[in-house]
Amino acid sequence: MSNDGAPAPLDRQSEPTPPPPSQPAPGNASDGSVLPHSNGNSTNDNGGQQNGVMVPSNVTHRLRLNPNADHKPDNYEDLDLDFSPFLFSSLERYLPPNLLPLSRDVKVRYMRDILLRYSPESERIRLQKHREYRQKIISNYQRLHRELYTMHATTFFVPSFLKAINENTEQGFRNIMSEPTPGIFTFEMLQPRFCEMLLAEVENFEKWVHETKFRIMRPNTMNKYGAVLDDFGMETMLDKFTEEYIRPISKVFFPEVGGSTLDAHHGFVVEYGMDRDLDLGFHVDDSEVTLNVCLGKQFSGGELFFRGVRCEKHVNTETQSEEIFDYSHVPGRAVLHRGRHRHGARATTSGNRINLLLWCRSSVFRELRKYQKDFSSWCAECQREKKERQHQSVAAAKLELLRRGETAT
């Protein structure tokens, strides 16, 4: 599709390697009951009792469809785990109620057994190689600004954003946001000093890569310049960024695409300019919710163009006039939108533009989506088709009533 909305093939922007395995969904029941998972070969947990509570064996491992919103999960960051500690914390809310008060070790074994069932051996090998790749970078790269690697909210975020997060209400969020077109929210977010430090850190990392001739993976399949922040030590900080500062907003504005269950992320920076990526083709992101924040520097051009939200089936359908929206970047200002909101970036005509991207994902939503056929709660084309079917149904009913009236006379 061209920038003006004319149909053309659309790309799916994704990581250069497959994303981490999805968190298993509890099935497709709708009553919140506890559902069994398929039986695997793992024997990590053979059942037993703890504190008088029977701990199920791996044969009967189950999750709940709906999370326990009032439960405060344990922190798993100090453990050496096969999967992200953030994923365990998120998954814990879906455990059966009788397991929630048990020890962390019991819950880890229980959740790990389920995760391994949904992760084929080839994927586990790939993940292990990626962990080794990251560890090699982290062990050798000398950090420039160590304060970036742990969350310091008052240093990172502007006061108005923190105030809205603390209030945690729709009105509080709307007080700091603009919604120039449905589903796209812009707001002041990052402190200038944070932007400066992150820019310097990325430049320092790129310098290290050049000097050591270390071969790194770029952010995704479409950007040839930039760096994956998770790969050189920022994963834990970005976990908190997602959980504590993006998920509360997404829960309010994007619940229909898993905004309340975001449990994974892919964090990176992209670089645009005459000697970098020049522009970015029309695409959708490999995310449920995308945060895009301009860090700087001096530049012209590089506007984002948005062209409507689509499911996979309708990704290449025609753009409606009301879906056309262009956005000009401002350093420190964030854009938040659904990952399935089709968009691209026009050429940066002078200077250099560097942006922070956070692809936020919900493994629960991704699993449940496999069982759905109707996405009219968020896909504009599905909505149009549904309205057309309803219109045709009403018209057919009127014709039938008219026919019956004529028959009766």
Side-chain angles (χ1 to χ4, degrees):
M1 180 173 294
S2 65
N3 293 1
D4 60 2
L10 178 143
D11 292 316
R12 179 180 178 86
Q13 190 181 27
S14 59
E15 295 180 58
T17 53
S22 294
Q23 173 181 316
N28 58 356
S30 59
D31 60 358
S33 58
V34 179
L35 302 175
H37 285 271
S38 60
N39 184 21
N41 297 321
S42 173
T43 56
N44 291 335
D45 184 358
N46 293 318
Q49 288 192 349
Q50 180 172 320
N51 298 331
V53 177
M54 178 60 69
V55 179
S57 69
N58 58 12
V59 176
T60 59
H61 279 189
R62 306 174 178 202
L63 293 175
R64 292 185 60 83
L65 175 61
N66 298 312
N68 185 330
D70 297 326
H71 175 69
K72 183 175 176 58
D74 283 320
N75 187 308
Y76 297 90
E77 293 177 12
D78 60 319
L79 300 180
D80 184 16
L81 301 168
D82 299 326
F83 304 94
S84 166
F86 186 37
L87 182 56
F88 281 88
S89 295
S90 178
L91 188 60
E92 184 179 323
R93 292 189 173 96
Y94 292 85
L95 291 178
N98 65 311
L99 289 186
L100 295 179
L102 300 187
S103 73
R104 189 175 65 162
D105 289 342
V106 171
K107 289 183 284 191
V108 163
R109 290 197 301 271
Y110 189 96
M111 291 185 285
R112 182 177 180 274
D113 179 75
I114 292 173
L115 289 168
L116 288 174
R117 295 180 199 172
Y118 282 80
S119 176
E121 184 178 4
S122 60
E123 179 66 6
R124 294 201 296 272
I125 292 173
R126 188 197 69 80
L127 288 173
Q128 179 59 33
K129 289 182 177 178
H130 200 153
R131 279 194 294 270
E132 293 171 357
Y133 161 80
R134 284 186 175 179
Q135 190 56 48
K136 188 173 182 180
I137 294 176
I138 293 170
S139 298
N140 291 279
Y141 171 63
Q142 296 297 313
R143 299 173 179 179
L144 180 64
H145 294 293
R146 294 186 177 275
E147 59 267 43
L148 289 174
Y149 293 80
T150 53
M151 177 57 67
H152 299 286
T154 55
T155 303
F156 291 4
F157 304 115
V158 298
S160 59
F161 177 76
L162 288 178
K163 182 175 183 291
I165 289 294
N166 290 331
E167 290 178 6
N168 196 23
T169 64
E170 179 176 349
Q171 188 56 53
F173 294 137
R174 289 195 179 276
N175 286 341
I176 66 166
M177 291 179 168
S178 297
E179 189 179 6
T181 194
I184 297 177
F185 299 90
T186 69
F187 49 95
E188 297 295 329
M189 186 183 202
L190 298 180
Q191 294 270 18
R193 175 58 180 158
F194 173 82
C195 295
E196 293 170 3
M197 287 194 298
L198 187 54
L199 285 171
E201 190 71 44
V202 171
E203 289 179 2
N204 189 61
F205 176 67
E206 294 277 12
K207 180 182 177 183
W208 175 81
V209 169
H210 178 74
E211 291 175 349
T212 60
K213 294 181 171 54
F214 191 94
R215 185 178 179 183
I216 63 170
M217 289 186 288
R218 294 301 177 180
N220 54 65
T221 54
M222 295 180 70
N223 287 99
K224 305 307 178 187
Y225 294 88
V228 179
L229 301 177
D230 302 302
D231 285 348
F232 61 92
M234 293 191 182
E235 182 179 19
T236 300
M237 184 274 284
L238 292 175
D239 275 344
K240 291 186 179 296
F241 199 122
T242 302
E243 180 179 15
E244 298 177 10
Y245 301 97
I246 304 304
R247 192 163 68 188
I249 301 174
S250 300
K251 180 179 181 179
V252 172
F253 296 113
F254 305 120
E256 72 288 343
V257 293
S260 63
T261 57
L262 299 178
D263 57 13
H265 75 269
H266 176 51
F268 56 96
V269 294
V270 290
E271 303 176 35
Y272 294 92
M274 300 306 293
D275 59 343
R276 292 290 187 265
D277 289 316
L278 190 62
D279 56 17
L280 188 63
F282 195 50
H283 66 279
V284 292
D285 295 338
D286 184 13
S287 69
E288 275 59 76
V289 177
T290 292
L291 176 76
N292 186 341
V293 192
C294 181
L295 301 174
K297 306 177 180 177
Q298 296 295 320
F299 63 91
S300 57
E303 299 87 355
L304 293 179
F305 58 92
F306 291 90
R307 300 294 184 263
V309 183
R310 296 291 190 276
C311 66
E312 194 67 37
K313 177 183 175 181
H314 296 122
V315 71
N316 281 312
T317 55
E318 186 177 353
T319 297
Q320 305 300 312
S321 59
E322 66 273 13
E323 295 178 315
I324 296 175
F325 174 68
D326 290 10
Y327 173 79
S328 297
H329 286 289
V330 178
R333 190 168 181 84
V335 184
L336 193 71
H337 60 86
R338 294 176 184 86
R340 298 294 309 186
H341 206 136
R342 302 179 300 177
H343 62 286
R346 294 197 174 92
T348 298
T349 54
S350 67
N352 290 95
R353 176 172 68 85
I354 303 177
N355 282 50
L356 165 66
L357 275 296
L358 200 59
W359 286 353
C360 305
R361 297 162 174 161
S362 167
S363 47
V364 170
F365 172 77
R366 292 184 174 212
E367 187 67 21
L368 294 178
R369 188 175 59 189
K370 297 176 183 177
Y371 307 99
Q372 295 178 314
K373 295 182 179 179
D374 177 24
F375 303 105
S376 57
S377 63
W378 54 272
C379 171
E381 194 63 28
C382 284
Q383 292 169 7
R384 276 187 282 276
E385 289 184 352
K386 185 176 182 179
K387 288 180 181 178
E388 180 61 25
R389 289 193 300 269
Q390 292 172 341
H391 176 75
Q392 292 175 354
S393 178
V394 170
K398 288 181 178 179
L399 284 174
E400 179 63 19
L401 289 173
L402 182 60
R403 184 190 65 79
R404 290 180 181 180
E406 291 175 349
T407 302
T409 58

